[in-house]
Amino acid sequence: MEDTAVPIVVCGILFIGLPWIIFHYVTQWKKARGLSIEDENLLDGLHDLARRLDDRLSTIERIVAADNPNWRPGQPDRTREISRDIGRDLGRDADDWQGRA
């Protein structure tokens, strides 16, 4: 009896248990691959907030530069150029990172 039970259990584990575990985790990984609607909405909100903050900072720099002609910001503002380059590379408008007009 022991001689037949061990091969049956081993075959059951190899041909039923192991594939079931593999397919279970493969489907779990596929479910978790994309962003949820809440995550997309959060990213949209953060992107809008970052754009508004960048506009405010540019406005402040222009005001300070108008008041003091010798003042220069520490680093040149390359964020708009970079976002334009990324948008051009992706075939999208620079102001809309998701491609919506």
Side-chain angles (χ1 to χ4, degrees):
M1 182 74 172
E2 264 183 48
D3 294 338
T4 59
V6 172
I8 290 173
V9 170
V10 169
C11 287
I13 289 173
L14 285 177
F15 294 111
I16 295 172
L18 189 60
W20 180 81
I21 291 173
I22 291 170
F23 288 132
H24 170 73
Y25 284 107
V26 166
T27 56
Q28 293 298 317
W29 292 329
K30 285 184 180 179
K31 283 183 195 175
R33 184 178 301 179
L35 293 175
S36 68
I37 300 298
E38 296 88 19
D39 292 340
E40 288 180 10
N41 291 336
L42 178 65
L43 284 174
D44 285 339
L46 291 174
H47 183 259
D48 291 338
L49 178 64
R51 185 181 301 153
R52 287 190 322 220
L53 290 173
D54 186 43
D55 291 341
R56 288 178 185 173
L57 182 62
S58 298
T59 303
I60 291 171
E61 287 177 350
R62 278 184 283 151
I63 292 170
V64 170
D67 289 343
N68 186 0
N70 295 330
W71 179 83
R72 288 189 154 192
Q75 277 185 316
D77 185 20
R78 301 239 332 129
T79 56
R80 291 200 186 272
E81 295 173 21
I82 292 170
S83 67
R84 248 185 248 117
D85 292 341
I86 291 171
R88 189 174 33 247
D89 291 342
L90 296 175
R92 297 181 180 151
D93 187 27
D95 291 334
D96 190 11
W97 64 277
Q98 288 185 335
R100 295 182 299 228

